[in-house]
Amino acid sequence: MKKESNLDSFFEQVYAVARLVPRGRVTSYGAIAKYLGTARSSRMVGWAMNGAHQVKPKVPAHRVVNRVGVLTGKHHFGSPTKMKELLEKEGIKVKNDQVKDFKELFWDPMKELSL
DNA sequence: CGATTGACGTACG
DNA sequence: TCGTACGCCAATC
Protein backbone atom coordinates (compact mmCIF):
# COMPACT_ATOMS: atom_id res chain seq x y z
CA MET A 1 0.00 0.00 0.00
CA LYS A 2 1.42 3.28 -1.04
CA LYS A 3 0.88 6.35 1.06
CA GLU A 4 1.80 9.61 -0.53
CA SER A 5 0.93 11.43 2.68
CA ASN A 6 4.56 12.02 3.44
CA LEU A 7 5.03 15.75 3.56
CA ASP A 8 4.42 15.52 -0.16
CA SER A 9 0.85 16.64 -0.02
CA PHE A 10 -0.01 20.18 0.86
CA PHE A 11 -2.27 18.83 3.56
CA GLU A 12 0.56 17.01 5.30
CA GLN A 13 2.44 20.24 5.59
CA VAL A 14 -0.56 21.79 7.26
CA TYR A 15 -0.78 18.86 9.65
CA ALA A 16 2.89 19.21 10.50
CA VAL A 17 2.58 22.86 11.44
CA ALA A 18 -0.67 22.29 13.31
CA ARG A 19 0.99 19.56 15.36
CA LEU A 20 3.80 21.97 16.22
CA VAL A 21 1.37 24.29 17.92
CA PRO A 22 2.19 24.18 21.64
CA ARG A 23 -0.53 23.41 24.15
CA GLY A 24 -2.39 26.47 25.35
CA ARG A 25 -1.69 28.27 22.09
CA VAL A 26 -3.65 28.84 18.90
CA THR A 27 -2.90 29.70 15.30
CA SER A 28 -4.83 30.67 12.22
CA TYR A 29 -5.37 29.05 8.85
CA GLY A 30 -3.86 32.03 7.09
CA ALA A 31 -0.74 31.86 9.26
CA ILE A 32 -0.14 28.25 8.25
CA ALA A 33 -1.00 28.95 4.65
CA LYS A 34 1.33 31.89 4.52
CA TYR A 35 4.06 29.87 6.19
CA LEU A 36 3.70 27.29 3.46
CA GLY A 37 3.77 30.04 0.88
CA THR A 38 0.13 29.78 -0.10
CA ALA A 39 -1.41 32.68 1.76
CA ARG A 40 -4.16 32.95 -0.81
CA SER A 41 -4.98 29.28 -0.52
CA SER A 42 -6.03 29.63 3.08
CA ARG A 43 -9.15 27.69 2.19
CA MET A 44 -7.08 24.64 1.43
CA VAL A 45 -5.76 24.73 4.98
CA GLY A 46 -9.29 24.34 6.21
CA TRP A 47 -9.88 21.52 3.77
CA ALA A 48 -6.74 19.85 5.02
CA MET A 49 -8.10 19.99 8.54
CA ASN A 50 -11.07 18.12 7.20
CA GLY A 51 -8.90 15.02 7.24
CA ALA A 52 -6.98 15.97 10.36
CA HIS A 53 -9.09 13.61 12.41
CA GLN A 54 -8.15 10.63 10.32
CA VAL A 55 -4.47 11.46 10.17
CA LYS A 56 -2.01 9.86 12.52
CA PRO A 57 -1.11 11.16 14.91
CA LYS A 58 -4.24 13.19 15.24
CA VAL A 59 -3.88 16.88 14.52
CA PRO A 60 -4.88 19.42 17.17
CA ALA A 61 -7.21 21.19 14.80
CA HIS A 62 -8.95 22.73 17.76
CA ARG A 63 -5.89 24.95 18.14
CA VAL A 64 -6.45 26.28 14.66
CA VAL A 65 -8.96 29.07 14.20
CA ASN A 66 -9.59 31.75 11.65
CA ARG A 67 -7.75 35.04 11.67
CA VAL A 68 -10.20 36.63 14.13
CA GLY A 69 -9.93 33.78 16.61
CA VAL A 70 -13.39 32.44 15.93
CA LEU A 71 -13.98 28.70 16.18
CA THR A 72 -15.30 28.45 12.66
CA GLY A 73 -14.71 24.72 12.48
CA LYS A 74 -16.23 23.86 15.81
CA HIS A 75 -18.95 21.97 14.02
CA HIS A 76 -16.41 19.53 12.62
CA PHE A 77 -15.31 18.18 15.97
CA GLY A 78 -18.22 15.88 16.37
CA SER A 79 -19.92 18.36 18.66
CA PRO A 80 -20.31 22.14 18.29
CA THR A 81 -18.89 22.55 21.77
CA LYS A 82 -16.08 20.00 21.59
CA MET A 83 -13.62 22.52 20.21
CA LYS A 84 -14.42 25.00 22.95
CA GLU A 85 -14.06 22.33 25.59
CA LEU A 86 -10.67 21.30 24.26
CA LEU A 87 -9.42 24.87 24.17
CA GLU A 88 -10.64 25.63 27.66
CA LYS A 89 -9.05 22.42 28.85
CA GLU A 90 -5.73 23.73 27.60
CA GLY A 91 -6.19 26.97 29.48
CA ILE A 92 -7.53 28.94 26.55
CA LYS A 93 -10.57 31.03 27.35
CA VAL A 94 -13.31 30.93 24.78
CA LYS A 95 -16.28 33.27 24.75
CA ASN A 96 -19.08 33.11 22.24
CA ASP A 97 -17.03 30.72 20.07
CA GLN A 98 -14.27 33.25 20.08
CA VAL A 99 -10.80 32.93 21.62
CA LYS A 100 -10.05 35.49 24.30
CA ASP A 101 -6.70 37.26 24.08
CA PHE A 102 -6.31 35.59 20.72
CA LYS A 103 -3.62 38.07 19.82
CA GLU A 104 -1.60 36.98 22.84
CA LEU A 105 -2.28 33.29 22.42
CA PHE A 106 -1.63 33.47 18.72
CA TRP A 107 1.20 31.16 17.71
CA ASP A 108 2.80 32.28 14.49
CA PRO A 109 4.71 29.45 12.75
CA MET A 110 6.62 31.90 10.61
CA LYS A 111 7.77 33.78 13.68
CA GLU A 112 8.30 30.85 16.03
CA LEU A 113 9.75 28.40 13.53
CA SER A 114 11.68 31.01 11.63
CA LEU A 115 13.16 32.45 14.75
C1' DC B 1 -17.85 16.06 -17.09
C1' DG B 2 -19.52 20.74 -15.29
C1' DA B 3 -21.13 23.59 -11.53
C1' DT B 4 -21.25 24.56 -6.57
C1' DT B 5 -19.53 24.58 -1.97
C1' DG B 6 -16.13 25.10 1.62
C1' DA B 7 -12.80 24.84 8.90
C1' DC B 8 -10.25 31.82 4.87
C1' DG B 9 -7.89 35.65 3.54
C1' DT B 10 -6.66 39.51 0.72
C1' DA B 11 -7.78 43.15 -2.57
C1' DC B 12 -10.53 46.73 -4.14
C1' DG B 13 -14.33 50.47 -3.90
C1' DT C 1 -13.16 52.59 8.03
C1' DC C 2 -16.61 49.40 6.45
C1' DG C 3 -18.66 46.51 2.77
C1' DT C 4 -18.33 43.68 -1.26
C1' DA C 5 -15.84 40.81 -4.71
C1' DC C 6 -12.50 37.60 -5.94
C1' DG C 7 -8.97 33.91 -5.60
C1' DC C 8 -7.39 29.16 -4.26
C1' DC C 9 -7.75 24.01 -5.02
C1' DA C 10 -10.11 19.97 -3.83
C1' DA C 11 -14.23 17.40 -2.92
C1' DT C 12 -19.06 16.77 -3.52
C1' DC C 13 -23.50 17.05 -6.06
Side-chain angles (χ1 to χ4, degrees):
Chain A
M1 50 210 264
K2 269 282 263 56
K3 271 187 74 107
E4 63 280 303
S5 340
N6 260 335
L7 275 294
D8 278 21
S9 304
F10 172 77
F11 308 116
E12 285 295 331
Q13 301 187 45
V14 178
Y15 303 147
V17 179
R19 280 193 233 115
L20 290 172
V21 178
R23 178 179 161 286
R25 283 284 231 271
V26 288
T27 187
S28 64
Y29 307 96
I32 299 174
K34 191 168 287 190
Y35 176 72
L36 298 177
T38 56
R40 289 177 190 162
S41 303
S42 40
R43 276 180 160 162
M44 302 297 86
V45 180
W47 261 133
M49 288 290 154
N50 216 322
H53 287 282
Q54 52 186 298
V55 184
K56 189 182 55 142
K58 235 170 72 179
V59 179
H62 59 274
R63 295 183 191 152
V64 186
V65 293
N66 65 358
R67 79 153 196 100
V68 275
V70 176
L71 284 55
T72 47
K74 64 174 184 177
H75 238 289
H76 288 255
F77 284 83
S79 288
T81 48
K82 184 70 177 295
M83 191 173 183
K84 182 182 172 190
E85 293 282 309
L86 289 168
L87 289 172
E88 288 185 323
K89 190 178 286 187
E90 297 196 347
I92 301 174
K93 297 186 184 75
V94 180
K95 182 69 175 191
N96 194 9
D97 298 330
Q98 189 173 4
V99 178
K100 301 290 286 179
D101 304 311
F102 172 69
K103 199 182 75 171
E104 298 183 47
L105 295 172
F106 182 62
W107 183 82
D108 193 339
M110 263 199 298
K111 189 174 181 178
E112 302 293 325
L113 301 178
S114 232
L115 204 67

Coordinates of all heavy atoms in Angstrom, one line a residue, chain A residues 8 10 12 24 37 43 45 47 52-53 56 59 65 69 78-79 92 94 105 107 112:
Chain A
D8 N 4.5 15.2 1.3 CA 4.4 15.5 -0.2 C 3.2 16.3 -0.5 O 3.2 17.2 -1.3 CB 4.4 14.2 -1.0 CG 5.8 13.7 -1.1 OD1 6.7 14.1 -0.3 OD2 6.0 12.9 -2.0
F10 N 0.1 18.9 0.2 CA 0.0 20.2 0.9 C -0.7 20.0 2.2 O -0.3 20.7 3.2 CB -0.8 21.1 0.0 CG -1.2 22.4 0.7 CD1 -0.2 23.4 0.8 CD2 -2.4 22.6 1.2 CE1 -0.5 24.6 1.4 CE2 -2.8 23.8 1.8 CZ -1.8 24.8 1.9
E12 N -0.4 17.5 4.3 CA 0.6 17.0 5.3 C 1.4 18.1 5.9 O 1.7 18.1 7.1 CB 1.5 16.0 4.6 CG 0.8 14.7 4.4 CD 0.4 14.0 5.7 OE1 1.1 14.2 6.7 OE2 -0.6 13.3 5.8
G24 N -2.0 25.2 24.8 CA -2.4 26.5 25.3 C -2.2 27.6 24.4 O -2.3 28.8 24.7
G37 N 3.6 29.3 2.1 CA 3.8 30.0 0.9 C 2.5 30.1 0.1 O 2.5 30.6 -1.1
R43 N -8.0 28.6 2.2 CA -9.1 27.7 2.2 C -8.7 26.2 2.2 O -9.3 25.4 2.8 CB -10.0 27.9 1.0 CG -11.0 29.0 1.1 CD -11.8 29.2 -0.1 NE -13.0 29.9 0.1 CZ -13.7 30.4 -0.8 NH1 -13.3 30.4 -2.0 NH2 -14.8 31.0 -0.5
V45 N -6.2 25.1 3.6 CA -5.8 24.7 5.0 C -7.0 24.2 5.7 O -6.9 23.2 6.4 CB -5.2 26.0 5.7 CG1 -4.8 25.6 7.1 CG2 -4.0 26.5 4.9
W47 N -9.6 22.8 4.4 CA -9.9 21.5 3.8 C -8.9 20.4 4.3 O -9.3 19.3 4.5 CB -9.7 21.6 2.3 CG -11.1 21.8 1.6 CD1 -11.4 22.7 0.6 CD2 -12.3 21.0 1.8 NE1 -12.7 22.6 0.2 CE2 -13.3 21.6 0.9 CE3 -12.6 20.0 2.7 CZ2 -14.6 21.1 0.9 CZ3 -13.9 19.5 2.6 CH2 -14.9 20.1 1.7
A52 N -7.9 16.0 9.2 CA -7.0 16.0 10.4 C -7.4 14.9 11.4 O -6.5 14.4 12.1 CB -7.0 17.4 11.0
H53 N -8.6 14.6 11.4 CA -9.1 13.6 12.4 C -8.7 12.2 12.0 O -8.7 11.3 12.9 CB -10.6 13.7 12.6 CG -10.9 15.0 13.3 ND1 -10.8 15.1 14.7 CD2 -11.4 16.2 12.9 CE1 -11.2 16.3 15.1 NE2 -11.5 17.0 14.0
K56 N -2.7 10.4 11.3 CA -2.0 9.9 12.5 C -0.6 10.4 12.6 O 0.1 10.3 11.6 CB -2.0 8.3 12.5 CG -1.5 7.7 13.8 CD -1.5 6.2 13.6 CE -0.6 5.9 12.4 NZ 0.2 4.7 12.6
V59 N -4.3 15.5 14.6 CA -3.9 16.9 14.5 C -4.8 17.7 15.4 O -6.0 17.6 15.4 CB -4.0 17.4 13.1 CG1 -3.5 18.9 13.0 CG2 -3.1 16.5 12.2
V65 N -7.7 28.3 14.4 CA -9.0 29.1 14.2 C -8.7 30.0 13.0 O -7.7 30.1 12.5 CB -9.3 29.8 15.5 CG1 -9.7 28.8 16.6 CG2 -8.2 30.7 15.9
G69 N -9.9 34.6 15.4 CA -9.9 33.8 16.6 C -11.3 33.1 16.8 O -11.6 32.7 17.9
G78 N -17.3 16.8 15.8 CA -18.2 15.9 16.4 C -19.3 16.6 17.1 O -20.5 16.3 16.9
S79 N -18.9 17.6 17.9 CA -19.9 18.4 18.7 C -19.6 19.8 18.5 O -18.4 20.2 18.5 CB -19.9 18.0 20.1 OG -20.5 16.7 20.3
I92 N -7.1 27.9 27.4 CA -7.5 28.9 26.5 C -9.0 29.3 26.8 O -9.9 28.5 26.9 CB -7.4 28.5 25.1 CG1 -5.9 28.1 24.8 CG2 -7.8 29.6 24.1 CD1 -5.7 27.5 23.4
V94 N -12.5 30.7 26.0 CA -13.3 30.9 24.8 C -14.7 31.6 25.1 O -15.3 31.1 26.0 CB -13.5 29.6 24.1 CG1 -14.4 29.8 22.8 CG2 -12.2 29.0 23.7
L105 N -2.4 34.7 22.5 CA -2.3 33.3 22.4 C -1.9 32.9 21.0 O -1.6 31.7 20.8 CB -3.6 32.7 22.8 CG -4.0 32.9 24.3 CD1 -5.4 32.4 24.5 CD2 -3.0 32.2 25.2
W107 N -0.1 31.8 17.9 CA 1.2 31.2 17.7 C 1.5 31.2 16.2 O 1.0 30.5 15.4 CB 1.2 29.7 18.2 CG 2.5 29.0 18.1 CD1 3.5 29.1 19.0 CD2 2.9 28.1 17.0 NE1 4.5 28.3 18.5 CE2 4.2 27.7 17.3 CE3 2.3 27.7 15.9 CZ2 4.9 26.9 16.5 CZ3 3.0 26.8 15.0 CH2 4.3 26.4 15.4
E112 N 7.7 31.8 15.1 CA 8.3 30.9 16.0 C 9.3 29.9 15.4 O 10.4 29.6 15.9 CB 7.2 30.0 16.7 CG 6.1 30.9 17.4 CD 6.8 31.6 18.6 OE1 7.6 31.0 19.2 OE2 6.4 32.8 18.9

